[in-house]
Amino acid sequence: MAAPTNEAIVIVGAGIIGLDVALVLAERGLGHHITVIAEYLPGDTSPEYTSPWAGSNFSGISGSDKNALRWDRMGYAHLAKLASERGEEAFVARAHSIEYWDANAPHEKIKAISEYLEDASDTCPALHELPAGVEYGISCTTLTLHAPKHIEYLYATLRDQHGVRFVRQKLDSIQAAFASPRTKAVFNCTGNAARTLPGVEDPKCYPTRGQVVLARAPAVKHNVMRHGRDYETYIIPRPRSNGNVILGGYMQKGTSDAATYSYETESIMARTTALCPDLRERPHEVLASFAGMRPSREGGARVEREDISVKGTRRALVHNYGAGGTGFQAGYGMATDAAATIEDVLRELQAGPRARL
Ligand SMILES: Cc1cc2nc3c(=O)[nH]c(=O)nc-3n(C[C@H](O)[C@H](O)[C@H](O)COP(=O)(O)OP(=O)(O)OC[C@H]3O[C@@H](n4cnc5c(N)ncnc54)[C@H](O)[C@@H]3O)c2cc1C
């Protein structure tokens, strides 16, 4: 095998899912073998690029299946380490969080995550008087991210410190990512596009629209999440943002309308001010409203290797999409599992040219 040319591994997609794959591989010293190809890159905004619109924090919004539990655990450990070692630079911070469930609190899952959540408690003083209609609550230390800045941090770090190459290009099929005969593996991290991209066309994928409000509210220091029967309300202070908070929200299954609506902004403000005294009683200013489409999938995210034939040669295609509302908390764990599916390819690359002698 020749010296690294950034062609052995291609990652399609530069949202948090593709960037986390690049990070996991770069941490193994493989940065110079990687090209990330994406229509949209960190710093861009588009309704077809979900990652910049995320809240974003670690919360109990994720599923209770084995995969979701494992990805949550890995994600929490990764983000906690990042917050400790380079939180400022990476726009990741620890923050206090209270989560409420109106009904059907996932007690088994809460028990599982409480084993590693810092300061997890369901008896802290803040929970003595639950808001009307709330059945159960917990408090813990969560990790919060400034989503658009965090992906810009990953982009710069991967490119400048790990030698990852980024190419802005829209592919007309997933097979097009195998353009170089030297490409051994392609990661498909295309988010919502997995539903329509030729070569993938996964009918289980669907968007889940969320409108959020960006507000300036420097007094708000804590996360509050309320998981309702048919709504999600949340308050997430953004790290390193001069006192900005993200207020949400909506979970509109199957909707991909990028417009924002004043009545939704009013509903978000009414629900979040009712939940958070620091927002209600201290000065705040609404700055903007946004809408983003979570890349959801029936049955959960797909992390799976498929060996396909390209021009008569067997090549590894690793699917890694469908993170729904959890890409920032689950992305590192999904990336770790996705990378493990091509351990054979990675070992060969790590061994270098000598392996073939
Ligand atoms: C309002 C809202 C709040 C959220 N809050 C949270 C939260 O608090 N915590 C959390 O963990 N998650 C949260 N999420 C979810 C999170 O944002 C998503 O799970 C995540 O962004 C999905 O990332 P992705 O990389 O799969 O997709 P995307 O970010 O959409 O990236 C897809 C990439 O694929 C590229 N691509 C697609 N097709 C092609 C093609 N044909 N050729 C080339 N490139 C292509 C795109 O250009 C892009 O680079 C939230 C989402 C929303 C909308």
Side-chain angles (χ1 to χ4, degrees):
M1 187 173 298
T5 59
N6 287 92
E7 286 180 310
I9 296 171
V10 171
I11 298 168
V12 187
I16 187 63
I17 298 302
L19 295 170
D20 272 344
V21 171
L23 181 65
V24 163
L25 299 180
E27 285 170 348
R28 291 178 64 167
L30 295 169
H32 286 94
H33 292 284
I34 303 171
T35 294
V36 177
I37 298 177
E39 181 180 12
Y40 298 107
L41 295 166
D44 300 346
T45 58
S46 161
E48 286 160 29
Y49 187 27
T50 306
S51 295
W53 307 118
S56 104
N57 70 3
F58 181 100
S59 81
I61 207 169
S62 52
S64 298
D65 57 283
K66 260 167 60 182
N67 282 340
L69 291 180
R70 197 174 62 258
W71 295 333
D72 275 355
R73 179 185 281 272
M74 288 194 262
Y76 193 86
H78 163 65
L79 294 173
K81 186 164 180 277
L82 205 50
S84 298
E85 292 176 359
R86 53 183 71 177
E88 285 277 303
E89 193 192 344
F91 290 85
V92 181
R94 284 181 169 76
H96 179 249
S97 185
I98 293 194
E99 293 200 39
Y100 297 119
W101 282 266
D102 288 2
N104 307 323
H107 291 287
E108 284 301 311
K109 173 227 177 81
I110 292 168
K111 201 170 145 217
I113 64 177
S114 296
E115 283 172 15
Y116 60 83
L117 290 179
E118 296 172 13
D119 310 316
S121 164
D122 59 2
T123 57
C124 87
L127 295 169
H128 280 163
E129 281 187 35
L130 295 176
V134 166
E135 178 192 277
Y136 184 71
I138 62 162
S139 88
C140 66
T141 294
T142 188
L143 282 315
T144 57
L145 301 102
H146 186 321
K149 291 290 184 192
H150 178 66
I151 58 173
E152 285 182 38
Y153 153 80
L154 287 175
Y155 179 38
T157 304
L158 290 163
R159 185 190 56 201
D160 302 338
Q161 293 175 26
H162 295 283
V164 173
R165 187 164 72 113
F166 285 84
V167 174
R168 182 190 290 282
Q169 187 189 351
K170 180 173 183 173
L171 299 180
D172 56 13
S173 71
I174 199 67
Q175 287 85 352
F178 289 99
S180 164
R182 283 195 280 265
T183 298
K184 304 271 177 216
V186 165
F187 287 87
N188 167 25
C189 307
T190 51
N192 278 311
R195 185 175 172 89
T196 51
L197 183 65
V200 188
E201 293 164 301
D202 184 341
K204 291 183 178 168
C205 293
Y206 62 91
T208 301
R209 179 183 177 276
Q211 179 165 319
V212 292
V213 172
L214 175 70
R216 186 161 148 66
V220 174
K221 305 284 184 210
H222 308 294
N223 292 238
V224 189
M225 316 285 296
R226 182 164 174 174
H227 309 292
R229 287 174 202 268
D230 57 1
Y231 66 87
E232 287 286 337
T233 300
Y234 50 88
I235 296 133
I236 305 176
R238 270 197 156 163
R240 280 194 63 199
S241 68
N242 201 22
N244 287 350
V245 296
I246 292 290
L247 308 173
Y250 284 89
M251 300 285 275
Q252 294 159 331
K253 192 174 170 178
T255 303
S256 56
D257 182 357
T260 60
Y261 296 96
S262 57
Y263 59 86
E264 292 192 345
T265 299
E266 284 158 19
S267 166
I268 290 169
M269 293 312 298
R271 285 183 277 137
T272 53
T273 49
L275 208 52
C276 177
D278 287 333
L279 187 62
R280 192 167 61 238
E281 291 156 15
R282 309 283 293 277
H284 67 263
E285 181 190 358
V286 172
L287 302 174
S289 297
F290 308 116
M293 314 314 149
R294 301 170 181 90
S296 306
R297 184 171 181 271
E298 302 292 349
R302 181 181 184 196
V303 179
E304 182 183 19
R305 172 175 175 166
E306 182 186 3
D307 285 335
I308 62 167
S309 170
V310 181
K311 293 185 185 142
T313 321
R314 191 173 145 274
R315 315 271 197 101
L317 171 60
V318 184
H319 299 288
N320 189 19
Y321 60 81
T326 66
F328 284 82
Q329 74 183 61
Y332 192 86
M334 288 169 64
T336 305
D337 280 6
T341 68
I342 55 158
E343 197 53 51
D344 51 337
V345 176
L346 301 182
R347 283 223 190 93
E348 200 184 322
L349 291 173
Q350 282 181 309
R354 284 167 177 274
R356 287 275 173 102
L357 296 178

